[in-house]
Amino acid sequence: MGRVTLVRFFKSSGDLDREIEAVPGTNLLDLAQASGQALEGSCEGSMACSTCHVIVAAEDFGRLPPASEEEEDLLDLAAHANRRSRLACQLAVPDGAPFSVTIPPSAYNLDR
Ligand code: FES
């Protein structure tokens, strides 16, 4: 078997909800949905809705490539966004150490 990264999904309360092994490069929204996380992802990755918003753990944020301007613009409007916010539809699971994200308590669907 090839390399896998342990991905941890936390609830907005801070409690660990689920940890799951993923092949690096797996789309984070697909992985989240496959593991039962409440991320609607209603625009299916076309960066129109922000319902795939996640908050990346401080120690993991720097492992991700920077957000595009389009992603940043949408994050400015996302519910509960902070400086570690990203759109899961735009993220690939990184290689290496466990990777943790928090699912925000709610989301706005901007694609309406
Ligand atoms: Fe809509 Fe990510 S799925 S912005």
Side-chain angles (χ1 to χ4, degrees):
M1 195 163 142
R3 280 193 307 229
V4 292
T5 298
L6 191 63
V7 178
R8 296 184 174 128
F9 293 104
F10 286 86
K11 299 179 193 178
S12 55
S13 62
D15 294 334
L16 179 64
D17 185 65
R18 185 96 192 250
E19 26 181 45
I20 188 166
E21 290 184 332
V23 175
T26 301
N27 180 272
L28 190 65
L29 177 59
D30 292 343
L31 181 74
Q33 290 180 332
S35 60
Q37 301 301 313
L39 286 185
E40 192 184 340
S42 66
C43 78
E44 295 175 354
S46 59
M47 274 199 279
C49 72
S50 91
T51 63
C52 64
H53 168 218
V54 295
I55 296 164
V56 179
E59 66 273 22
D60 294 329
F61 192 79
R63 298 167 64 192
L64 298 170
S68 64
E69 215 167 297
E70 212 180 344
E71 183 181 344
E72 293 283 6
D73 287 350
L74 205 53
L75 286 169
D76 282 344
L77 305 171
H80 311 285
N82 70 23
R83 278 178 302 176
R84 290 183 281 108
S85 291
R86 295 296 303 261
L87 296 177
C89 69
Q90 302 302 308
L91 299 181
V93 172
D95 206 350
F99 178 74
S100 300
V101 297
T102 298
I103 309 297
S106 63
Y108 302 136
N109 187 348
L110 300 165
D111 188 20
R112 281 193 182 138

